[in-house]
Amino acid sequence: MKRRLLLETGGVIIGALWLSNYLTRRPEFMATSNSEKFEINKTEEEWRKILTPEQFRVLRKHGTERAGTSPLDKNYADGTYVCAGCGQPLFTSETKFNSGTGWPSFYAPIEGAISTTVDRSFFMTRIEVHCSRCGGHLGHVFEDGPAPTGQRYCINGVAMEFVPEA
């Protein structure tokens, strides 16, 4: 009896994981692609030529870099954080704070620099942040940030480049 229960439970768990993966998988037509209307549109091959493999995985395939791996997380110099895909200014150093999450965090973007979509992957609903010019995936925004906005833009460091103030 215990063996049967164990096998049934295992089957249910495997089935639930498969179903979850199937239901939350981002269909190719939903991925940030050439079909969306952004100021900068490139083919997948064109993006691969100008981005590193890690930048491509994050910006174009909605990946996430490992926490604590970006040197931008602990960068507090004055300057601007720009999209690694198109160079659009996204955040200023004035809005950066240490969230302790292992990713660069900001409480506000530069006006008009980002767009958002709903992300329902990994058994949760989150707000995904994109560059408004090229559609590149930057990270997510959460409602647990500091004043004055109460928002925490948790951004992949590999999706940005830092331009120091002159």
Side-chain angles (χ1 to χ4, degrees):
M1 184 67 168
K2 287 183 179 181
R3 177 184 271 180
R4 183 177 182 172
L5 181 61
L6 182 63
L7 289 172
E8 289 174 348
T9 303
V12 167
I13 290 171
I14 290 170
L17 289 172
W18 177 85
L19 182 61
S20 169
N21 185 39
Y22 177 77
L23 293 175
T24 61
R25 187 173 36 210
R26 181 184 301 273
E28 195 59 36
F29 68 86
M30 286 181 63
T32 303
S33 70
N34 214 19
S35 65
E36 294 189 46
K37 303 297 180 213
F38 293 104
E39 181 182 335
I40 296 177
N41 287 294
K42 297 181 184 296
T43 65
E44 190 168 302
E45 191 55 38
E46 289 172 323
W47 283 118
R48 285 187 189 277
K49 286 179 182 175
I50 65 168
L51 300 172
T52 68
E54 182 70 356
Q55 286 173 327
F56 180 81
R57 187 181 70 77
V58 171
L59 285 165
R60 308 316 307 171
K61 297 298 180 181
H62 304 264
T64 301
E65 69 186 352
R66 249 182 38 242
T69 60
S70 173
L72 294 182
D73 182 33
K74 301 297 183 201
N75 177 36
Y76 293 101
D78 290 339
T80 304
Y81 295 83
V82 301
C83 176
C86 69
Q88 172 168 259
L90 302 168
F91 300 94
T92 67
S93 57
E94 295 168 352
T95 63
K96 189 170 191 300
F97 70 100
N98 184 359
S99 67
T101 61
W103 288 281
S105 297
F106 305 85
Y107 61 80
I110 293 172
E111 189 172 336
I114 65 154
S115 61
T116 60
T117 56
V118 176
D119 175 4
R120 289 190 172 89
S121 60
F122 302 113
F123 304 105
M124 64 183 105
T125 300
R126 302 177 291 178
I127 303 299
E128 189 170 354
V129 178
H130 304 273
C131 172
S132 65
R133 182 190 283 167
C134 70
H137 167 77
L138 302 171
H140 294 87
V141 61
F142 302 96
E143 298 287 331
D144 60 358
T149 66
Q151 296 182 320
R152 173 175 51 95
Y153 289 84
C154 191
I155 307 299
N156 290 287
V158 73
M160 300 182 297
E161 293 174 354
F162 180 70
V163 178
E165 211 170 80

